[in-house]
Amino acid sequence: KNQVEQSPQSLIILEGKNCTLQCNYTVSPFSNLRWYKQDTGRGPVSLTIMTFSENTKSNGRYTATLDADTKQSSLHITASQLSDSASYICVVSSQAGTALIFGKGTTLSVSS
Amino acid sequence: EAGVAQSPRYKIIEKRQSVAFWCNPISGHATLYWYQQILGQGPKLLIQFQNNGVVDDSQLPKDRFSAERLKGVDSTLKIQPAKLEDSAVYLCASSLNGQGLTGELFFGEGSRLTVL
């Protein structure tokens, strides 16, 4: 069964600190993996999209990594800011499917 | 470039009442999606349109949910009659023709439904 699991479920860090969010998937055959940021009460906004051949992709202070062999991805946030407080959703696309497979998200809270 | 527009942003109704949500995708985007996001969960696809044709509606509860996309642009999602478990955020998204799986997917702000 195609699944996307994210950890931790929630995370609290101090402003300025770094953090890493994890995503494990069982989707096959794999097409691409995306990370979305969803602010409270808003729609998800794309941070990165990675295909099979890409190991890492950055978007400002956000860096996503992909290990297609172990079917794991991580999202690293550097020098966190209060505005980083949001839910981060990992989404995987299968070459065989017609729909994206969403994780439940990790809720990040950055405090001052 | 204007984003995906949705309305209303918030709606409160009583169970067994009906409700409709409207979505206007990004200009030129042939593919339109409706997702249901229950609190603490990731979005779940309800229906996908390619122009004005349905590509996937396998998870749409057809006994109470309906959606249409007349003229291949705007779309309306209707719930009738609503149940308590329909309380969720309804997200509309769009993408360039058939590229939702391989390319960028753009979401609207969502319509938050509360059923009492």
Side-chain angles (χ1 to χ4, degrees):
Chain A
K1 182 179 178 182
N2 290 328
Q3 286 186 316
V4 175
E5 301 286 341
Q6 293 188 244
S7 62
Q9 184 175 348
S10 61
L11 182 63
I12 301 174
I13 62 173
L14 289 175
E15 187 178 13
K17 298 295 186 181
N18 303 335
C19 68
T20 301
L21 313 180
Q22 300 291 340
C23 173
N24 296 334
Y25 61 93
T26 59
V27 178
S28 181
F30 174 84
S31 176
N32 62 71
L33 182 146
R34 318 128 185 256
W35 284 94
Y36 284 88
K37 178 187 179 187
Q38 185 173 24
D39 292 320
T40 301
R42 310 293 290 271
V45 174
S46 179
L47 294 175
T48 63
I49 299 178
M50 289 185 292
T51 59
F52 183 90
S53 60
E54 296 175 295
N55 300 117
T56 183
K57 183 167 278 190
S58 293
N59 179 355
R61 295 179 296 100
Y62 300 99
T63 299
T65 64
L66 174 65
D67 185 333
D69 292 331
T70 62
K71 298 186 176 180
Q72 296 180 326
S73 175
S74 65
L75 180 69
H76 186 74
I77 304 174
T78 304
S80 62
Q81 300 176 0
L82 297 178
S83 59
D84 292 330
S85 295
S87 177
Y88 292 84
I89 305 174
C90 177
V91 186
V92 180
S93 171
S94 170
Q95 293 180 18
T98 60
L100 299 173
I101 301 152
F102 287 76
K104 293 183 178 181
T106 292
T107 301
L108 174 65
S109 298
V110 181
S111 61
S112 56
Chain B
E1 178 183 79
V4 177
Q6 290 188 245
S7 68
R9 287 295 314 277
Y10 305 93
K11 189 73 176 180
I12 301 174
I13 62 173
E14 294 188 349
K15 59 183 180 183
R16 291 188 289 274
Q17 288 187 323
S18 62
V19 64
F21 302 112
W22 172 84
C23 172
N24 180 244
I26 292 173
S27 178
H29 281 194
T31 310
L32 184 147
Y33 312 77
W34 282 102
Y35 286 89
Q36 179 193 59
Q37 186 175 26
I38 293 173
L39 186 64
Q41 305 283 320
K44 181 185 86 170
L45 179 68
L46 292 176
I47 189 167
Q48 176 184 341
F49 291 96
Q50 182 72 16
N51 295 306
N52 59 350
V54 176
V55 174
D56 183 356
D57 64 354
S58 57
Q59 297 194 85
L60 185 74
K62 298 179 183 66
D63 58 333
R64 299 184 300 106
F65 286 64
S66 64
E68 60 182 10
R69 190 182 184 197
L70 300 177
K71 301 180 181 179
V73 181
D74 293 4
S75 178
T76 302
L77 175 70
K78 296 180 181 178
I79 307 174
Q80 181 179 13
K83 291 185 176 181
L84 297 177
E85 58 261 36
D86 297 333
S87 294
V89 175
Y90 292 86
L91 294 165
C92 180
S94 71
S95 69
L96 287 170
N97 191 14
Q99 293 187 20
L101 293 180
T102 58
E104 196 64 78
L105 190 65
F106 298 87
F107 285 88
E109 298 286 275
S111 294
R112 180 176 296 276
L113 173 66
T114 301
V115 182
L116 303 176

